[in-house]
Amino acid sequence: MNRRMLNRYSVGTGDRFARQAKAQLQACIQALQEGVVVVPVWNKSNREHTIIGSDPAATRAAADAAVTALHWDNSYFCDADHITLQTVDRFLAPCDFYTMDVADEIGKPASAADTEAFVKRHTELLGTVTLEGIDETFEVTRDLLRDAAGKFLFAVKKAGEVYRKIEQTKGTGNFIPEVSMDETDSAQTPVELLIILAAIADEQIPIQTIAPKFSGRFNKGVDYVGNVEQFEKELALDFAAIAYAIKHYDLPGNLKPSIHSGSDKFSIYPVIHDTMKRFNAGVHLKTAGTTWLEELIGLAEAGGDGLTLAKEIYAEAYAHREELCGPYASVIDIDPAKLPFPLEVSKWDSQQYTSALRHNPREPRYNSSFRQLLHVGFKIAAKMGTRYLDLLESNEAVVAVNVTENLYKRHIAPVFLGHHE
């Protein structure tokens, strides 16, 4: 069977307003000019579409147009991000990558019969488990296997339901399946990940990426907060567990980890690159590039009406900060005391605004609270409708430079090419 295959290196690029596909693709072209193929995956969730009032077909149209305009000959994908059985329908026609989010189902008990059947089917996991490339070994008792299966089987079965619904429409092998387990309370152990992957294989879901949970915080649009050495250890264990599952459970050979909220996690990019090379594997860096913020930076940089609008968006975001931050509370850390008053921001020039917003940790005026509030403030721009979109169009050149440079220099180059500043 011919199956659509995701390349070893891929980058999940959000584009909330579907205006920056060419600028994003240009970053992948720059990587190609360096001899490295990094394929773009344009991802957008049902929640984002609902907030903006957009449709998945618009994401597909923007991607197709960019690929045609820039003569991109490699593969590319459109991802129905964090999809569920309830929300998948509108994504069936335009998408060819599906992130099946079953995090809410983790911990819901599987039936005793399903759990016991799993334990009997996977006695190979009992005893001492050795993972290639990892010095430590793992002891798995029948009780541990039963408890972990009981924790994850229900969620994996839900993923199976979503997968089969997509398969009925798209056909076998015509899309990339991903299972997302990252939005949970704690990181999965290597044994838990093995059990999850065995269950996914039992459900006959040919996943090509899996999003595990890591320790630390992956806040929106800012750097990783946590122990980098611990992250490195967890990532290595995930690579090793995936390699074991490919070998033992006949999962696709290109299966790789997907790192969600991967945007701007500068402190762990060298670790991702080095660990990926160590295991001779790939990675999907998802939600990378903070495109909406680069649009805002471009407008502010352009001055005039663009800067005026950028200030207005901040003032509105500040006024509605509790409402905007609520849905993202688990992935932002905003210090209200560090948010400048809108009156102060109204007096800023372009450089003051962009210095506070652009993610440059060496810039003394950089303000992560200001940045995070604006990150979740895209709803304000969405309500402005054509006023915002028209300004994007009239300032396309300066916006595009920011989008491309950010995605290539700060994300693609360090992760996939090993270029570090």
Side-chain angles (χ1 to χ4, degrees):
M1 180 192 72
N2 290 326
R3 173 178 286 141
R4 292 205 70 182
M5 301 293 284
L6 184 64
N7 295 57
R8 170 174 287 207
Y9 302 150
S10 52
V11 59
T13 57
D15 188 6
R16 300 207 194 280
F17 298 98
R19 292 296 191 278
Q20 305 307 326
K22 283 199 294 185
Q24 292 169 324
L25 184 57
Q26 188 62 47
C28 295
I29 290 172
Q30 287 184 224
L32 189 61
Q33 291 167 346
E34 293 281 331
V36 178
V37 177
V38 181
V39 302
V41 180
W42 280 277
N43 52 261
K44 195 167 177 181
S45 68
N46 190 64
R47 177 167 67 179
E48 287 178 23
H49 280 298
T50 301
I51 290 172
I52 290 171
S54 56
D55 187 87
T59 304
R60 164 60 67 182
D64 289 347
V67 164
T68 299
L70 299 182
H71 309 290
W72 176 256
D73 294 328
N74 292 286
S75 58
Y76 66 101
F77 301 90
C78 286
D79 177 10
D81 193 12
H82 289 293
I83 212 68
T84 66
L85 201 60
Q86 291 71 39
T87 57
V88 70
D89 285 348
R90 67 191 300 209
F91 294 88
L92 290 173
C95 291
D96 50 10
F97 188 123
Y98 294 84
T99 300
M100 298 173 286
D101 189 345
V102 293
D104 288 345
E105 315 298 335
I106 293 174
K108 293 183 180 178
S111 71
D114 285 344
T115 301
E116 287 307 316
F118 180 89
V119 172
K120 289 179 181 178
R121 195 161 51 243
H122 290 290
T123 54
E124 80 283 352
L125 287 171
L126 293 173
T128 302
V129 174
T130 302
L131 299 176
E132 191 172 342
I134 301 297
D135 292 335
E136 62 184 306
T137 57
F138 306 91
E139 295 300 321
V140 182
T141 64
R142 190 171 292 272
D143 284 345
L144 189 157
L145 186 59
R146 183 182 294 109
D147 289 347
K151 179 179 179 182
F152 294 106
L153 275 184
F154 185 86
V156 173
K157 285 187 174 295
K158 284 294 180 185
E161 292 177 19
V162 181
Y163 172 77
R164 283 183 286 277
K165 181 169 185 177
I166 300 166
E167 187 182 40
Q168 285 172 3
T169 299
K170 307 294 290 189
T172 304
N174 291 329
F175 60 97
I176 309 297
E178 171 175 307
V179 170
S180 170
M181 296 273 185
D182 68 306
E183 295 192 359
T184 58
D185 292 335
S186 57
Q188 292 93 24
T189 67
V191 171
E192 286 177 331
L193 185 56
L194 282 179
I195 290 167
I196 290 167
L197 290 168
I200 287 171
D202 289 346
E203 280 290 312
Q204 298 185 315
I205 310 172
I207 60 167
Q208 296 186 36
T209 62
I210 184 164
K213 169 74 174 179
F214 296 99
S215 298
R217 287 183 67 89
F218 286 74
N219 290 335
K220 294 286 186 183
V222 293
D223 206 349
Y224 171 76
V225 180
N227 185 315
V228 174
E229 289 183 0
Q230 178 64 22
F231 171 82
E232 182 176 18
K233 179 181 179 182
E234 290 173 2
L235 182 61
L237 288 168
D238 287 342
F239 275 121
I242 287 170
Y244 180 102
I246 290 170
K247 182 177 179 180
H248 289 83
Y249 303 129
D250 198 31
L251 287 167
N254 65 329
L255 174 59
K256 61 183 181 178
S258 178
I259 300 175
H260 283 205
S261 292
S263 188
D264 293 70
K265 302 301 177 284
F266 302 147
S267 61
I268 59 173
Y269 286 172
V271 164
I272 294 172
H273 177 81
D274 293 347
T275 310
M276 188 168 58
K277 291 295 185 182
R278 173 183 158 195
F279 284 90
N280 190 28
V283 77
H284 181 51
L285 185 71
K286 188 159 184 176
T287 55
T290 51
T291 299
W292 137 249
L293 291 182
E294 294 305 317
E295 289 179 340
L296 208 51
I297 288 168
L299 291 178
E301 205 167 64
D305 291 342
L307 178 59
T308 298
L309 187 76
K311 292 176 181 179
E312 187 178 326
I313 288 172
Y314 176 72
E316 285 294 304
Y318 185 91
H320 298 91
R321 56 193 181 279
E322 291 185 8
E323 169 196 335
L324 293 170
C325 294
Y328 298 95
S330 64
V331 286
I332 54 175
D333 276 320
I334 293 175
D335 182 351
K338 292 183 179 177
L339 289 173
F341 290 114
L343 182 61
E344 177 190 347
V345 174
S346 71
K347 300 173 185 176
W348 285 358
D349 60 21
S350 292
Q351 189 173 29
Q352 287 173 296
Y353 194 103
T354 58
S355 296
L357 182 54
R358 184 179 282 120
H359 193 176
N360 177 6
R362 292 187 293 274
E363 166 58 58
R365 289 174 292 185
Y366 166 62
N367 185 327
S368 65
S369 293
F370 180 76
R371 180 176 172 85
Q372 288 178 88
L373 178 58
L374 282 169
H375 195 293
V376 300
F378 67 94
K379 188 176 183 179
I380 304 298
K383 287 181 178 178
M384 292 177 170
T386 55
R387 182 181 168 211
Y388 177 73
L389 298 177
D390 288 349
L391 273 172
L392 282 185
E393 187 173 334
S394 61
N395 293 283
E396 179 184 2
V398 65
V399 170
V401 166
N402 281 284
V403 171
T404 300
E405 181 179 86
N406 175 61
L407 183 56
Y408 176 74
K409 186 177 179 182
R410 300 190 187 99
H411 295 83
I412 289 175
V415 173
F416 300 108
L417 283 73
H419 295 175
H420 308 303
E421 292 184 345

